[in-house]
Amino acid sequence: MTAMDGMTLDAILKIISNFGIPGMVLVIWYFSEKSHERTLKQYREDMMGQRMMYEDGMQEIRRMYENNVELVKNYASLAGNLKDVVMINTRSWQRVSDDVNRNQFCPMVRLKKDAVGVQP
């Protein structure tokens, strides 16, 4: 019959009979310390797992911010291009407006402007 960590029951009884109560306290302390070490080892492993999850989450957040920066740069470029389109459009409509105001496209108005004198 074996006890924890490879010590046999006979060895434990021999220690207790040779050392008495202090020996029994020593054996209990030994097993308690081993249990404490296992608990600490498990705690370290759990904390390392938590840390890895945290670091993965932080990297994902960092990638999100980097993607947002790229999106802002692309939006700024698009807004610059849109500004150029609006300016060209405005110039074109201004020319159309000027031409309409001068009536250069109506043949009747052009003929009247070319004629000399009073028109009927």
Side-chain angles (χ1 to χ4, degrees):
M1 190 163 163
T2 60
M4 297 174 123
D5 297 319
M7 291 186 71
T8 63
L9 185 59
D10 292 333
I12 294 171
L13 289 176
K14 186 176 179 182
I15 291 173
I16 291 174
S17 66
N18 287 339
F19 295 107
I21 298 294
M24 188 168 59
V25 169
L26 183 63
V27 168
I28 292 171
W29 173 81
Y30 174 78
F31 286 124
S32 174
E33 190 62 28
K34 287 295 182 179
S35 173
H36 184 67
E37 286 176 13
R38 282 191 305 273
T39 304
L40 283 176
K41 181 180 176 185
Q42 184 64 43
Y43 176 75
R44 279 189 212 108
E45 290 171 0
D46 290 346
M47 291 310 294
M48 289 301 289
Q50 290 290 327
R51 182 177 177 183
M52 294 303 286
M53 286 175 38
Y54 173 76
E55 288 176 357
D56 290 344
M58 290 304 292
Q59 287 178 355
E60 186 176 335
I61 290 171
R62 187 175 299 122
R63 279 191 302 272
M64 240 179 10
Y65 277 110
E66 289 169 356
N67 291 341
N68 284 345
V69 167
E70 190 66 31
L71 180 66
V72 167
K73 288 178 183 177
N74 291 339
Y75 182 77
S77 172
L78 179 66
N81 293 339
L82 183 62
K83 175 186 158 197
D84 294 341
V85 168
V86 168
M87 288 174 55
I88 291 169
N89 234 354
T90 303
R91 262 188 254 132
S92 297
W93 278 110
Q94 183 61 45
R95 270 184 292 173
V96 168
S97 174
D98 291 343
D99 290 343
V100 166
N101 287 336
R102 282 185 263 141
N103 287 323
Q104 294 298 309
F105 296 105
C106 178
M108 296 302 287
V109 172
R110 271 192 306 193
L111 288 175
K112 285 183 183 177
K113 285 184 179 178
D114 289 340
V116 181
V118 180
Q119 300 293 321

